[in-house]
Amino acid sequence: PAIMRKRSSYRPRGFDPNGGITLLTKNNLLTDEEIRSRAMKHWGNLEVIVKSDKKDHRALQALVDSLNAAMVLCELGIEAESLQLVIDAQIWAFNALYRFERGKGLGLTAEGLKAVRIGLGVHDAQIMNATKGDLGKAATEIARRQATGDVFRAEDFVRVLS
């Protein structure tokens, strides 16, 4: 006959090599270096789009990604009053990406450039005031929306700007 053993309710938990410190850092603001690094990325991408002879659609895509993060952070309550400014910037940036994908060149109009600069300014203010946890929530929400197809579509933007 088989021997039956009592099953214990004990289940081992995951091990946190940082001793729980990661939980504390989610409520911390970004360091000055982290803020500078993030700002340099999105402003650098804008400079590539505006000034470079060699146009790079990846820079524009990265810019759109920064504006997506800005929109979600607004929805989470960080610089919430600036949501429409961020959406306007997204419209212009996405329209430029849409035009590039249709072979019409990569660039922003003067009005579009102004809107994108304002949107990035909002994002700068957000990353100075957002915690690491807020940024993590925003990244998770962006991934969720992309996975479910809850994103802006080209038709939404082109109709507005045409």
Side-chain angles (χ1 to χ4, degrees):
I3 299 174
M4 307 254 314
R5 291 183 10 170
K6 178 182 174 195
R7 295 196 180 256
S8 170
S9 62
Y10 170 75
R11 299 287 179 261
R13 296 177 191 238
F15 174 72
D16 183 0
N18 296 323
I21 293 174
T22 43
L23 295 175
L24 298 175
T25 60
K26 290 188 179 193
N27 295 322
N28 290 348
L29 297 175
L30 296 175
T31 65
D32 289 343
E33 182 61 32
E34 290 169 321
I35 291 170
R36 232 182 339 275
S37 173
R38 285 175 181 257
M40 285 174 61
K41 283 179 187 172
H42 59 248
W43 288 107
N45 286 323
L46 182 60
E47 190 170 329
V48 166
I49 294 163
V50 173
K51 295 183 178 180
S52 177
D53 293 336
K54 190 175 182 183
K55 302 295 183 182
D56 186 357
H57 75 282
R58 291 174 299 191
L60 185 56
Q61 183 60 56
L63 199 65
V64 169
D65 292 343
S66 292
L67 292 170
N68 287 342
M71 184 182 76
V72 172
L73 287 169
C74 281
E75 292 171 355
L76 292 174
I78 301 165
E79 301 291 323
E81 67 282 355
S82 302
L83 179 60
Q84 190 55 52
L85 296 172
V86 172
I87 291 173
D88 292 345
Q90 283 181 307
I91 290 171
W92 285 103
F94 194 86
N95 188 56
L97 186 61
Y98 179 78
R99 287 177 51 242
F100 176 79
E101 289 172 351
R102 302 301 174 274
K104 296 183 180 177
L106 181 62
L108 291 162
T109 63
E111 187 179 354
L113 183 58
K114 180 180 175 185
V116 169
R117 283 184 173 145
I118 291 170
L120 292 179
V122 170
H123 192 46
D124 284 345
Q126 289 173 323
I127 60 177
M128 285 191 278
N129 296 312
T131 64
K132 292 177 182 181
D134 294 330
L135 295 172
K137 286 179 197 171
T140 301
E141 179 60 17
I142 291 168
R144 185 198 65 76
R145 289 181 187 184
Q146 289 172 341
T148 61
D150 183 14
V151 294
F152 288 122
R153 295 189 171 40
E155 307 82 55
D156 299 334
F157 293 108
V158 176
R159 200 174 321 114
V160 171
L161 298 175
S162 297

